[in-house]
Each structure stands twice: as C-alpha cells, then as structure tokens.
Amino acid sequence: MSTPPGSGAPSTAYWFDDSDPAVPLLQAVRRFRRADEEMRRGMETDMDVNATDLEALRHVIAHERAGTPVTARGLSGHLHISTASTAKLLNRLSESGHIRRRPHPGDRRSVIVTATEHTHEEVRGWLSPMHQRMLQAARDVPEESRQAVVDFLDSLAESLIPEPEDGDG
C-alpha cells in the first residue's frame, strides 16, 4: 500500500524515482509545507479568520513595520481580488476588531488600513515563539552550508513558475 505524497513516509514512484538520492530533500520540503499549512489553519481557526483575511493581516502588519501605509486598493492588488471583495474583507476584519480604517492624508477618496493592537498581540502570540525556533533551526545549519540551502530553496521556488508556452513571442 502506498502512502500519500508529503506524508513523511517514503515517496512513491508515481512522483519521484525513489532510488534518486535527492528525493529525501523534496520529502523534507513537503513536510515543511504541510507543517506550515497546518500552522496557518490553526491561526485561522484561533483568530476566526480565513486564509485571505490572514494574508491581508500579514500584509498590513508587514507594511506597518516598514512604515509604508496600505490602502484598500493596494490590498486588493496584493491579494488579487476585486475591490468589492476587498470591501467585504475590510468590513469583516473591521467588525471583528482586527483592522482600523482611517482617511488617507493625501487622497480623500482612499483609506489607510492598519492592524489593531489586539491583532498585533494575537499575531505575536502565535508567531514569536515559532519564529524563534525557526531562527534557531537556521542558525543550526553550518555556516558553510547556508548558501547551498538558500540556492536550493530559491531554485525550488523558481521551478514552480510555469514556463512560457512556445510561440509567445
């Protein structure tokens, strides 16, 4: 009986040639992705938000830390959703106490979106201990191996980008 890909068990020949010594690296990436997905689902449940809401909050908080304001339009573009869907998302997050909207100082037709202190506390509570463990795991990688790990992960990310179809130019 075979096991599903990414379950932590050996892969099946359907996905990879199990005799290839590189397969354990890909299995480890799958385990990481599965753990990341489970963590996000836990955060969504605990914070009573959906995946898009959580990404919106992450984006808003990241921009707050960088000192760059987020507008509803900018959030819509980041999330690749319509302005109507963004308005619903912002209403939902505002009603739940996760964000505040305030007038844009330079464009009266626009609003600036900020996370509430409660949201910052929730996110810190979830992520701070995990980020410390992740940082320690990164520190545990021998210094001489770090660039190889970075190159591998960057190459893996690049491999997920679809190749252009022939005849596109």
Side-chain angles (χ1 to χ4, degrees):
M1 177 186 233
S2 67
T3 55
S7 66
S11 67
T12 65
Y14 178 77
W15 294 105
F16 303 110
D17 175 0
D18 286 339
S19 66
D20 190 319
V23 168
L25 280 170
L26 298 176
Q27 290 170 331
V29 170
R30 277 197 183 143
R31 288 189 302 273
F32 171 78
R33 289 196 65 226
R34 176 163 282 135
D36 181 65
E37 289 167 0
E38 288 174 13
M39 178 275 301
R40 289 177 192 280
R41 279 194 296 275
M43 264 186 95
E44 292 164 14
T45 299
D46 191 50
M47 293 178 68
D48 196 24
V49 296
N50 65 38
T52 304
D53 294 353
L54 189 59
E55 176 54 26
L57 292 172
R58 188 210 60 78
H59 185 71
V60 167
I61 290 170
H63 276 263
E64 284 180 14
R65 290 187 65 167
T68 56
V70 173
T71 63
R73 170 177 248 159
L75 191 56
S76 179
H78 173 75
L79 297 172
H80 304 288
I81 61 175
S82 69
T83 54
S85 293
T86 302
K88 288 179 184 177
L89 176 144
L90 292 175
N91 287 339
R92 196 169 49 246
L93 291 175
S94 181
E95 289 169 10
S96 67
H98 286 100
I99 59 113
R100 272 191 229 97
R101 292 180 272 199
R102 59 184 170 84
H104 190 289
D107 181 356
R108 64 185 172 147
R109 298 167 296 160
S110 186
V111 295
I112 301 291
V113 180
T114 59
T116 63
E117 186 55 37
H118 171 72
T119 300
H120 283 282
E121 289 170 8
E122 277 187 296
V123 170
R124 272 193 303 270
W126 259 96
L127 299 181
S128 291
M130 180 186 52
H131 283 172
Q132 287 304 311
R133 292 188 305 271
M134 291 172 70
L135 185 57
Q136 187 57 52
R139 287 178 178 142
D140 290 345
V141 173
E143 194 169 336
E144 63 276 6
S145 301
R146 291 178 187 164
Q147 190 58 52
V149 173
V150 169
D151 293 346
F152 165 69
L153 292 172
D154 285 345
S155 180
L156 203 57
E158 203 170 293
S159 73
L160 298 177
I161 300 169
E163 292 183 10
E165 293 183 28
D166 290 339
D168 281 353

